[in-house]
């Protein structure tokens, strides 16, 4: 498995963990934790998407002829995720968790299939179309981008800032 593929797959897992924590908070009707987890999910996913848009997708699109339509669909998913989560953040400012829960479940469903496509197709192409040195350079660029992501969430730290 290429280093880039491993880095991005690991980041999928980290984003998925925040998503699960958010769903739990929403189901428990914990407004404070829901706020914090939704903000964190939105930020973590935005950084992940940025890494793919700036570094992964251009390399793959240039070297894999059949990648264009797949990448276009993945970009559309990315727009959907950001739009829906931004809307959920706005809704959460009003204490109506039920509509936020519905929105987040819709994002979760689409994110699951989206991540499968990336991990089974797009990330796999890195190892087949790039040389070892190109793979290392791509992994370094992706890693640098992902270093901008917010740290894992601590409710206590968040509460102390309020």
């Amino acid at each position: 498995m290429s280093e880039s593929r491993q880095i991005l797959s690991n980041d999928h897992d980290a984003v998925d963990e925040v998503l699960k924590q958010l769903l739990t908070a929403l189901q428990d009707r914990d407004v404070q934790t829901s706020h914090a987890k939704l903000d964190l999910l939105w930020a973590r996913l935005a950084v992940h998407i940025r890494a793919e848009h700036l570094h992964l997708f251009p390399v793959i699109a240039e070297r894999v002829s059949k990648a264009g339509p797949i990448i276009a669909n993945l970009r559309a998913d990315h727009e959907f995720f950001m739009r829906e989560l931004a809307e959920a953040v706005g809704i959460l400012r009003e204490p109506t968790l039920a509509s936020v829960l519905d929105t987040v479940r819709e994002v979760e469903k689409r994110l699951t299939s989206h991540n499968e496509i990336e991990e089974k197709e797009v990330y796999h192409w890195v190892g087949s179309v790039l040389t070892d040195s190109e793979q290392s350079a791509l992994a370094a660029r992706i890693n640098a981008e992902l270093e901008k992501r917010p740290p894992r969430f601590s409710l206590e730290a968040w509460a102390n800032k309020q």
Side-chain angles (χ1 to χ4, degrees), residues 110-162:
R110 191 162 170 179
L111 185 60
T112 299
S113 64
H114 172 93
N115 288 350
E116 285 178 19
I117 292 167
E118 285 183 341
E119 290 185 25
K120 290 181 179 173
E121 290 189 56
V122 178
Y123 296 176
H124 177 72
W125 291 329
V126 170
S128 63
V129 300
L130 300 178
T131 66
D132 288 345
S133 63
E134 290 171 327
Q135 289 180 49
S136 293
L138 176 61
R141 291 192 310 272
I142 290 170
N143 237 356
E145 202 64 50
L146 293 180
E147 288 300 317
K148 298 173 186 173
R149 64 186 170 238
R152 295 212 182 258
F153 173 75
S154 159
L155 183 58
E156 294 78 29
W158 184 82
N160 290 334
K161 291 181 181 180
Q162 300 304 313

Side-chain angles (χ1 to χ4, degrees), residues 1-7 9-10 119 123-124 126-127 135:
M1 181 181 288
S2 75
E3 187 179 359
S4 299
R5 183 177 179 189
Q6 187 65 53
I7 291 167
S9 292
N10 288 348
E119 290 185 25
Y123 296 176
H124 177 72
V126 170
Q135 289 180 49

Side-chain angles (χ1 to χ4, degrees), residues 28-161:
D28 292 346
R29 298 185 179 351
D30 183 340
V31 175
Q32 184 179 16
T33 303
S34 295
H35 248 295
K37 295 295 182 179
L38 182 56
D39 283 346
L40 182 61
L41 175 64
W42 187 76
R44 296 275 319 235
L45 194 54
V47 171
H48 180 89
I49 288 169
R50 180 176 164 83
E52 290 178 342
H53 282 236
L54 291 178
H55 306 291
L56 176 68
F57 291 169
V59 169
I60 295 300
E62 179 182 305
R63 301 208 184 175
V64 179
S65 59
K66 66 181 180 178
I70 293 170
I71 290 173
N73 287 335
L74 295 173
R75 285 180 186 271
D77 283 346
H78 290 167
E79 290 173 18
F80 169 81
F81 301 146
M82 292 292 91
R83 183 181 59 251
E84 292 297 309
L85 290 174
E87 184 177 312
V89 167
I91 292 169
L92 196 56
R93 291 190 179 122
E94 307 160 10
T96 56
L97 295 182
S99 60
V100 173
L101 180 58
D102 292 342
T103 299
V104 172
R105 282 190 175 138
E106 192 61 34
V107 168
E108 176 190 34
K109 189 180 352 173
R110 191 162 170 179
L111 185 60
T112 299
S113 64
H114 172 93
N115 288 350
E116 285 178 19
I117 292 167
E118 285 183 341
E119 290 185 25
K120 290 181 179 173
E121 290 189 56
V122 178
Y123 296 176
H124 177 72
W125 291 329
V126 170
S128 63
V129 300
L130 300 178
T131 66
D132 288 345
S133 63
E134 290 171 327
Q135 289 180 49
S136 293
L138 176 61
R141 291 192 310 272
I142 290 170
N143 237 356
E145 202 64 50
L146 293 180
E147 288 300 317
K148 298 173 186 173
R149 64 186 170 238
R152 295 212 182 258
F153 173 75
S154 159
L155 183 58
E156 294 78 29
W158 184 82
N160 290 334
K161 291 181 181 180

